[in-house]
Amino acid sequence: MAKPIKSETDLNWKDLEVGCVVSDAGSASQYKTGDWRSMRPVVDKSKCIRCGVCYIFCPDMAIGKTAEDYFEADLYYCKGCGICAQECFTGCISMVPEEE
Amino acid sequence: METLNVYATRLIEKKDYFTPGHRACQGCAEALAVRLVAKALGNNVIVGSATGCMEIISSPLPFTNWKVPWLHVAFENAAAVLSGAEAGYRALVRKGKRPEKGTVFLAMGGDGATTDIGFQALSGALERGHNFLYVCYDNEAYMNTGIQRSSSTPFGASTTTSPSGKFSPGQRTWKKNMAEIVVAHDVPYVATACASYPFDLMEKVQKAARTPGPAYVHILSVCPTGWRMPPNKAIWIGRLAVETGVFPLFEVVDGKYRMTHETAELKPVEEYLRPQGRFRHLTAEMIAHIQKRVAAEYDKLVAKTRL
Amino acid sequence: MGKRVGVEVSIAAADAVGMANVDVVAAYPITPQTHIVEHLSELVANGELDAEFIPVESEHSAMSVCCGSSAIGARTFTCTSSQGLALMNEIVFIAASLRLPIVMILANRSLSGPLSIWNDHTDVMSVRDCGWIQVFTETGQDVFDHVMWAFRVAEDPQVSLPVIVNMDGFILTHVIEPIEFWEPDMVRKYLPDFKPVNVLDPDKPTTVGGFGMPGIYTEAKMAQNEALIQSKSHILKAWQELGEVTGRHYQPVETYRTEGAETVFLTMGSTGDTVAMAVDELRSQGRPAGLIKLRLWRPFPFDELRRAAKDVKRIIVIDRAVSYGGPGGPVASEIRSAFYGEKKMPAVTNFICGLAGRDVTPDDYIAIYAKSEEMVTGRVRQEDYVFYGVRE
């Protein structure tokens, strides 16, 4: 599909691929799940040992490595579930309300 | 935290073939399990999925969260559909129409699609001996349609079709032991896993994929929404399921049983049951009943490892 | 030309599938289809056909396996009847929506209840709306030819739709008929290798079978419907080329002695053979009867039907299924639809005949002809259909 689409209603019937197959692998990653959350994870870098436990337990693949080798939540996707804060080995992640 | 090798995370495959932006609930440990399976298998894989939570959250037309080939047909036939893909592949390779690339064939379904409506298709596929891996993501109810009971719902759990009430204890029957049923099909590899033990899960999935013939991995998938508990505790409660013996982690290789997670002493099941809203109504008597049965099943399992 | 042999039609059908070099066969046995699957599994067991024969544990799984194997680019075949078709019903609809070029022989048999193993069209009529291309065969030769045709049409990249080849259970499956087998070079000439439009491949990962929100479902169905309608030209071309290869020319609508016929019978499947004998007898009695045989059922051949019946005053539709509480036979209701609003609308009378294999002879059709005349002297309505031969 040439034109960028934000939702299924952008497509006419002729735009659909044969059998409604989707060739654009991983295209759903454009969907912003970040606006679901009401709490966000905040890392105290002084206590972070960069173990990656938060990374491995994130169900949304929303934690990635920064340039300095720390792990940080991608706020475009982070749903604020708090698993990272709960599982953090040193307890350096805290969940704070989104408004702050 | 117990035996988790803290820094092992840094050594594992960083690529994810299941992308973010999927529409699973906050704290969905089933989505996490899917992520880990996809990570463990890499991209030389063909996935056949049943209808269910994981299918719905990842394939809203015209988008997809999958970066590997993925096929969904219906609710009860993931094993059959995937059997067809595997058979087709074998035929095409043998007839020289497609190169042999050692592609892994993965069928996935929830507990509904596996222990209930898809039971027949799974049994058929196992009996026919296709070279595939079946992963059951067990969140212990038909979660996608609104938390209705399945045969995998544990005794006493309150679901929307087995609600606790004046005349009902919640689910009346004991959880169907799907892993044992698969073992009875005489397949070379069967294992249980939980996303709370990510390395164990990934190792098992890789081992299963390497095993020629049918392989089965049953993954306890914590569902904070359906189990009525806060999402941040999803990993924590999964660990308790294992540590209390409610969901033992084991594997069966060519009929030989082996515990893959041992605890010197099982924690009392009450520790696992209390934090979950779906067990909120349990009486001390019911908890005692559950404790007795869990202990008995656990002992039976351990006895099998000594055969 | 190929060898002409007397052979049981089921065996010939299976041989045709074998000659088409199918890659995967997934089927569950059900009377009267059994000889087809048995012979196919023999061909595989003896190495005469290099294919995966998947002995599935139910028809629902048969069609599911077919979806998986077609999706990965394997030439795929199944066959079933009656209850088997009913059991795979849900997946039949999905296969068409996924545009998977599966070929299925349907050995037409009565739907339960009561349980009946004998022939009629109640099974195929239950999947009228499934989205598959559907044809009917009349003789054993038809069946053999249409196996090749079905793969050719289904796998045509401009079509990419599954095909049902209907053959009457027992009446065709279990009789020995003279059939001209194709030579291998005829198959090579007519049937190209399967080059799928979509294929599951880790090098080019695709998602097949995503779910449709209300905002897109209509578009998906429109696309599917258009694909079925547009398949017509490729269907005709495939028949034309089949004619060039075999010398046998098939049409969406075939006629027998319709010149000057005011009244024609309309049949589908092997009934046509018997009705033709009645037409000959009626003609010899000086009554201007004719026969229209509907071969292509989906996509419905509106133009060809209207052309075939353009000077006809009455059509006697022989239905082999009932739409309970509705307009009688499904075929009659579609024929009436086809002529609705046309300047010359023929009167349509409807006779439900031969349910569950009950024998209907040329004499019966002559009696039906007379009865039909009676009916049209009054006014014929949708609800006026006759269960021919019922003991009252």
Side-chain angles (χ1 to χ4, degrees), chain C residues 69-127:
Chain C
S69 96
S70 190
I72 209 166
R75 177 166 284 166
T76 306
F77 175 81
T78 188
C79 54
T80 193
S81 307
S82 172
Q83 303 313 109
L85 180 67
L87 184 57
M88 58 163 73
N89 183 285
E90 123 181 89
I91 313 300
V92 166
F93 281 73
I94 297 174
S97 75
L98 294 179
R99 303 279 300 274
L100 296 170
I102 300 163
V103 169
M104 170 159 71
I105 284 181
L106 187 60
N108 300 120
R109 161 184 148 176
S110 223
L111 275 180
S112 297
L115 179 79
S116 159
I117 58 167
W118 290 279
N119 162 252
D120 63 33
H121 291 170
T122 50
D123 57 4
V124 64
M125 289 305 156
S126 74
V127 291

Side-chain angles (χ1 to χ4, degrees), chain B residues 64 76-77 90 94-95 101, chain C residues 50 52 64 90 203 207:
Chain B
T64 178
E76 66 285 63
N77 65 359
R90 251 185 304 129
R94 192 175 62 238
K95 290 164 96 164
K101 287 195 172 163
Chain C
D50 187 358
E52 287 297 311
S64 303
E90 123 181 89
D203 291 339
T207 285

Side-chain angles (χ1 to χ4, degrees), chain C residues 263-295:
Chain C
T263 304
V264 295
F265 289 88
L266 189 139
T267 62
M268 284 163 65
S270 55
T271 325
D273 235 1
T274 318
V275 174
M277 293 166 71
V279 164
D280 285 340
E281 176 57 34
L282 285 162
R283 282 270 181 175
S284 75
Q285 293 172 14
R287 288 138 100 195
L291 168 61
I292 290 177
K293 299 188 287 188
L294 200 57
R295 179 176 293 285

Side-chain angles (χ1 to χ4, degrees), chain C residues 189-246:
Chain C
K189 193 164 164 210
Y190 184 72
L191 185 58
D193 279 342
F194 178 26
K195 298 233 165 6
V197 172
N198 294 311
V199 67
L200 294 170
D201 184 355
D203 291 339
K204 281 180 71 201
T206 49
T207 285
V208 182
F211 82 89
M213 296 283 277
I216 202 165
Y217 186 86
T218 306
E219 284 67 26
K221 296 285 104 176
M222 174 84 181
Q224 185 187 335
N225 193 39
E226 281 298 308
L228 184 56
I229 292 171
Q230 299 308 325
S231 71
K232 178 88 172 295
S233 60
H234 307 283
I235 285 173
L236 295 176
K237 184 147 180 281
W239 268 328
Q240 189 198 321
E241 291 183 16
L242 192 146
E244 287 162 16
V245 167
T246 63

